[in-house]
Every structure is written in structure tokens, then in C-alpha cells.
């Protein structure tokens, strides 16, 4: 903080020397400007702590907001593990060294029906590990319709290159058939890879090879089939937005040899890459030296284990909040609307995180008379609230706000409205 203030004073000195203001008014303006600048620096720089934010965007898995919020019960268990030692790699029974992956593996195999499982730092890491282990200096066959960019620096062709594998593209952007894969297989082929298109859809004259057909082809040629499911939908979910999205369990049942997915998207857990599949292949990935660089720490394992247990118990996951009944949701909106001076309007929510981009969730949200200025004040509030502007009004979608936080939201909005 001292550094920022000192820099502000230095700037003031320089400005006074170079271009001194001619009036008292001018001097006051200059000082005010610099104070604002220092305050802004402190807000965004070292002074800004990672903060709890109320996500009123209606986008459930918002990458900028940390993707999936952990279930409250899971988060409550964490502190006891964080400031103490834990049996991460010790078998308390025998007193011997054990494997940090063992609990997650048991839970993941139970949930998906796979033989074995391994956890990496994130899905991108899991995919790199698969490619480096099975396809280094060899060929990987991928459909042209699946050479996607997920966001940031995750582009399928780049990931392949980084892992030392050679990409063999088959089919066209809109249509790829099993025969296209078949013709591309040669002596250098190491792997068939299917990637969930995630955040985009092509519609119209389209065709892609089904996982089942690829399984048959891969088996017939003695090649492994890896599928990047991407979102961590371990088992089928009843939400209409997720119909037709093959879960990890279904892909394993179809016969995929390896499936990788993400821990902090639909699974609702911490950032993690979940790799499940056949024992031999998972073991090879585990033994690869790269795995050492990709393995998660105990905090991620602790969160993941607890979230997987919630799934096993069919517990209430935060994601389910998106599909609350309209009537239940309406009473929440009606409770908050008067305090916020808001009207209730139709609004679309989204799963986010690359899942079902073309399938909005219809419903209702609060609309406040306000613009980008109010949006800004809400973001700087306590707690910060993130909404969005639509047709000149500020929209707050409560489907992504925990009902337990409604009182906090009301306080933050009242403060922002008061200026
Ligand atoms: C999100 C996604 C990834 C990347 O997952 P991270 O956990 O962010 O590394 C990879 N593949 C697909 C298909 C995805 O949707």
C-alpha cells in the first residue's frame, strides 16, 4: 500500500514541476484525480483480496467467477483439514506409505463403472497426460468438427502438439463418418480421440461419428479410444439442457477405453481433471513422469472426495439450483423485488462452462432501473454483486445466487442504489 501512495505522491510532484496548475481549483482537481488513481490501484492490485462474490449473471459455471461453487457442507469440512496434517499418502492401518489417488479412484470407479481412475490438476492436464503417454511421436485421429477452442489457450490441435502427438484430421467441419476414421488409420496411429464440442454447436447438414461406432472401429483395429467428455457429467442428469449429453458412465459402458472430464464444471467440485478407464491404460498414465507435474494437492483431493461422496449419496448439489420450480423461484423474487425497487422479468439462464450453450433455461429475474454505473457500484460493493445489462436495465438473476445469501444481496443492492 505504501508503494502505491508513494508513487501517487511522486506523480503529483512531477506534475506540479512540469505543468503546475494556475488556479486553486486546478490544483484541487489534480489532487482528486491522483487520489482516485491510487484508490483504483489499491482495489485492483495488491490491495485486492480474492473475494466472495454474488453471481447474479444466471451463468452457473462462470469461468471468471471460479466455475462451480462447492456445496456448503463440503466447504464446511475443509478448515479442519487445512491447518493440520492429514493422511494423504499414509495408510493409517498398516502405517505404510500409500497412494494419494486411492480414495478418489474408488469413488470415481464406483460412480462411473470404470476399472480404474486417476486425478490430474485439470482436464487439460489429463488430456495432455493421455496424449503424452499413449501417442508421443505418433498419430492421433480427430474429427475436423471437434478441433475446438474451449477458451483461454485450450485449443485441441495445440494440446496435441504440446504433448508431442501428431494430429491426423478427418472428415469436414460439419460432417465426419466412421469411414473417415477408418481410412485414416495406419501403422503410425496410436489413438482415436473424440472431443465434446463443448461451447459451440453446428446445426443443419451435420453428422458426427457416434461413440458406439468408434468403439467398434477401435476394438477391431486394436487401438484405444479416448474421449474428452469435458464437463464432468459423471452420470445422466434429468435436466432438459443435458439430454443427449453422454455422461462419463454411459461412455464407459459403451466401451470407451479412457474418458477425461473436468472437476469444476458439471461435477460441481474443485478444479481437477478426472481420468477414468481401463486399468492398463490408467496405470501407464500414472507411471508417466509428467504425472508428477500434474497431480493435485491435498486441498483439491479433499474437496473432490467430499463432492464425489455427495454424488454417491445423490445429495443436493449447487447445480440443481438452476432447475428450481418457477413457483418456488417466484416467491424469492417477490420477496426481494420491493427492497431492490425491481420488477420481475423473463430472463434466460445458462449452464455455462461449455455445457449446452444453445439451450438457455427460461425463467425470471429482477430488473432494476439502472445502467453501467449501477453495475459498477454493485461490483465494488460488499459483497460484490455481478449482474448484467439488458435493454438499458440491470438484470440480477437469482438462480445462480444461493438463497442463503438473499439478505446479503438485498443489503448490497440497497447500498449501491443509495450511491
Ligand atoms: C472445459 C473443457 C476442457 C478443459 O477443462 P479444464 O478443466 O478447464 O482444463 C477440455 N475439454 C473439454 C471438452 C472441455 O469442455
Amino acid at each position: 500500500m505504501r508503494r502505491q501512495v508513494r508513487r501517487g505522491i511522486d506523480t503529483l510532484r512531477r506534475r506540479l514541476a512540469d505543468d503546475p496548475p494556475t488556479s486553486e481549483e486546478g490544483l484541487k482537481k489534480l489532487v482528486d484525480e491522483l487520489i482516485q488513481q491510487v484508490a483504483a490501484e489499491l482495489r485492483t492490485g495488491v490491495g485486492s483480496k480474492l473475494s466472495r462474490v454474488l453471481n447474479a449473471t444466471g451463468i452457473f459455471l462462470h469461468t471468471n467467477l471460479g466455475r462451480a461453487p462447492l456445496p456448503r457442507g463440503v466447504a464446511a469440512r475443509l478448515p479442519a483439514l487445512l491447518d493440520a496434517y492429514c493422511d494423504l499418502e499414509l495408510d493409517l492401518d498398516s502405517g505404510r506409505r500409500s497412494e494419494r489417488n486411492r480414495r478418489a479412484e474408488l469413488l470415481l470407479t464406483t460412480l462411473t463403472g470404470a476399472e480404474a481412475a486417476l486425478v490430474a490438476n485439470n482436464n487439460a492436464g489429463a488430456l495432455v497426460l493421455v496424449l503424452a503417454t499413449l501417442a508421443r511421436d505418433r498419430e492421433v485421429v480427430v474429427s475436423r468438427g471437434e478441433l475446438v477452442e474451449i477458451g483461454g489457450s485450450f485449443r485441441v490441435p495445440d494440446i496435441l502438439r504440446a504433448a508431442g502427438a501428431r494430429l491426423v484430421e478427418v472428415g469436414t467441419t460439419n460432417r465426419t463418418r466412421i469411414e473417415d476414421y477408418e481410412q485414416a488409420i495406419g501403422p503410425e496411429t496410436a489413438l482415436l480421440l473424440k472431443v465434446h464440442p463443448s461451447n459451440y454447436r453446428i446445426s443443419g447438414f451435420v453428422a458426427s461419428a457416434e461413440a458406439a461406432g468408434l468403439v467398434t472401429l477401435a476394438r477391431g483395429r486394436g487401438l484405444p479410444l479416448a474421449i474428452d467428455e469435458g464437463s464432468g457429467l459423471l452420470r445422466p442428469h434429468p435436466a432438459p439442457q443435458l439430454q443427449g449429453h453422454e455422461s462419463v458412465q454411459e461412455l464407459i459402458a459403451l466401451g470407451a477405453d479412457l474418458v477425461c472430464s473436468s472437476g469444476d464444471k458439471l461435477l460441481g467440485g474443485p478444479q481437477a481433471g478426472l481420468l477414468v478407464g481401463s486399468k492398463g491404460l490408467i496405470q501407464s498414465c500414472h507411471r508417466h513422469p509428467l504425472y508428477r507435474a500434474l497431480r493435485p494437492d491435498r486441498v483439491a483431493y479433499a474437496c473432490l472426495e467430499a463432492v464425489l461422496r455427495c454424488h454417491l449419496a445423490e445429495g443436493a448439489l449447487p447445480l440443481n439450483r438452476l432447475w428450481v420450480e418457477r413457483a418456488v423461484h417466484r416467491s424469492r423474487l417477490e420477496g426481494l423485488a420491493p427492497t431492490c425497487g425491481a420488477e420481475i422479468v423473463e430472463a434466460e439462464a445458462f449452464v455455462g462452462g461449455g455445457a449446452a450453450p444453445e439451450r438457455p433455461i427460461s425463467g425470471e429475474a429482477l430488473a432494476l432501473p439502472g445502467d453501467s454505473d449501477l453495475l459498477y457500484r454493485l461490483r465494488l460493493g460488499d459483497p460484490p454483486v455481478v449482474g448484467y445489462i439488458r435493454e438499458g436495465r440491470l438484470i440480477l438473476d437469482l438462480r445462480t445466487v444461493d438463497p442463503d445469501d438473499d439478505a446479503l444481496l438485498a443489503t448490497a443492492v440497497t447500498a449501491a442504489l443509495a450511491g
Side-chain angles (χ1 to χ4, degrees):
M1 172 156 174
R2 197 188 298 168
R3 194 150 47 96
Q4 281 79 3
V5 174
R6 196 169 281 159
R7 206 162 41 211
I9 293 171
D10 286 347
T11 312
L12 178 62
R13 282 212 185 97
R14 223 176 19 251
R15 295 272 291 272
L16 287 176
D18 294 351
D19 183 19
T22 47
S23 64
E24 197 173 319
E25 190 84 344
L27 177 65
K28 202 161 164 282
K29 204 164 146 232
L30 178 59
V31 172
D32 279 348
E33 242 170 59
L34 286 170
I35 289 174
Q36 298 264 343
Q37 209 172 307
V38 171
E41 260 181 48
L42 288 175
R43 273 199 303 272
T44 55
V46 281
S48 110
K49 292 196 194 106
L50 189 62
S51 313
R52 184 186 179 88
V53 166
L54 298 185
N55 171 12
T57 62
I59 299 169
F60 187 76
L61 299 169
H62 200 305
T63 300
N64 303 156
L65 299 178
R67 289 191 179 159
L70 291 176
R72 282 255 154 102
V74 170
R77 247 195 95 220
L78 284 182
L81 281 171
L82 297 185
D83 61 358
Y85 299 100
C86 64
D87 58 343
L88 182 68
E89 289 186 358
L90 182 75
D91 178 26
L92 293 174
D93 200 42
S94 66
R96 291 223 184 84
R97 181 183 176 164
S98 75
E99 171 48 53
R100 65 171 62 195
N101 196 57
R102 66 196 190 280
R103 296 184 188 88
E105 178 169 37
L106 184 58
L107 289 160
L108 283 168
T109 51
T110 307
L111 282 160
T112 63
E115 263 177 20
L118 185 65
V119 185
N121 271 331
N122 54 27
N123 191 13
L127 187 57
V128 167
L129 183 65
V130 168
L131 294 167
T133 306
L134 304 179
R136 176 152 211 101
D137 298 326
R138 295 182 63 205
E139 291 176 357
V140 177
V141 185
V142 191
S143 160
R144 290 201 167 90
E146 296 172 3
L147 295 175
V148 296
E149 173 176 315
I150 310 284
S153 52
F154 187 100
R155 287 176 156 192
V156 172
D158 297 342
I159 292 274
L160 258 100
R161 205 173 309 118
R166 290 203 300 275
L167 169 65
V168 176
E169 304 175 16
V170 294
T172 61
T173 304
N174 59 331
R175 290 176 79 84
T176 305
R177 302 181 193 84
I178 290 286
E179 301 86 75
D180 297 321
Y181 289 85
E182 204 162 6
Q183 282 157 20
I185 295 174
E188 286 295 297
T189 310
L191 181 72
L192 304 187
L193 175 66
K194 185 169 174 61
V195 182
H196 191 275
S198 198
N199 51 7
Y200 94 117
R201 292 290 175 272
I202 339 178
S203 57
F205 187 55
V206 295
S208 61
E210 300 286 333
L214 286 174
V215 167
T216 312
L217 175 63
R219 292 234 168 115
R221 298 298 191 94
L223 288 170
L225 168 68
I227 301 184
D228 178 9
E229 182 275 336
S231 60
L233 182 69
L234 289 192
R235 299 199 284 194
H237 190 284
Q241 278 68 26
L242 300 177
Q243 298 318 299
H245 181 129
E246 279 167 322
S247 66
V248 177
Q249 187 189 53
E250 290 165 292
L251 294 169
I252 289 293
L254 282 172
D257 300 286
L258 283 173
V259 180
C260 61
S261 62
S262 178
D264 58 358
K265 293 189 191 167
L266 293 175
L267 186 83
Q271 178 183 299
L274 316 174
L275 187 58
V276 303
S278 75
K279 202 166 204 144
L281 295 179
I282 293 283
Q283 254 171 13
S284 305
C285 291
H286 200 167
R287 289 201 193 109
H288 194 283
L290 195 55
Y291 181 62
R292 175 68 198 211
L294 294 169
R295 66 175 198 177
D297 75 328
R298 63 179 181 159
V299 181
Y301 271 112
C303 296
L304 181 64
E305 184 192 322
V307 169
L308 291 174
R309 282 187 202 287
C310 287
H311 280 267
L312 258 188
E314 315 262 343
L317 284 161
L319 179 63
N320 295 335
R321 221 183 281 142
L322 272 180
W323 289 280
V324 291
E325 269 178 58
R326 239 178 207 258
V328 176
H329 186 59
R330 178 90 197 187
S331 69
R332 228 180 125 198
L333 293 174
E334 279 168 353
L336 276 166
T339 333
C340 305
E343 208 188 312
I344 299 172
V345 296
E346 289 286 320
E348 291 181 335
F350 288 89
V351 178
E358 82 293 17
R359 294 185 197 163
I361 305 160
S362 68
E364 294 174 316
L366 297 178
L368 281 71
D371 50 14
S372 51
D373 191 45
L374 181 61
L375 192 70
Y376 173 74
R377 285 202 304 274
L378 278 167
R379 275 206 314 273
L380 293 189
D382 179 25
V385 177
V386 184
Y388 63 95
I389 302 282
R390 189 186 74 190
E391 291 157 7
R393 291 210 279 184
L394 189 129
I395 308 290
L396 297 177
D397 194 323
L398 302 191
R399 283 171 288 182
T400 44
V401 177
D402 190 323
D404 289 349
D405 288 336
D406 280 359
L408 273 179
L409 180 78
T411 315
V413 172
T414 313
L417 285 171

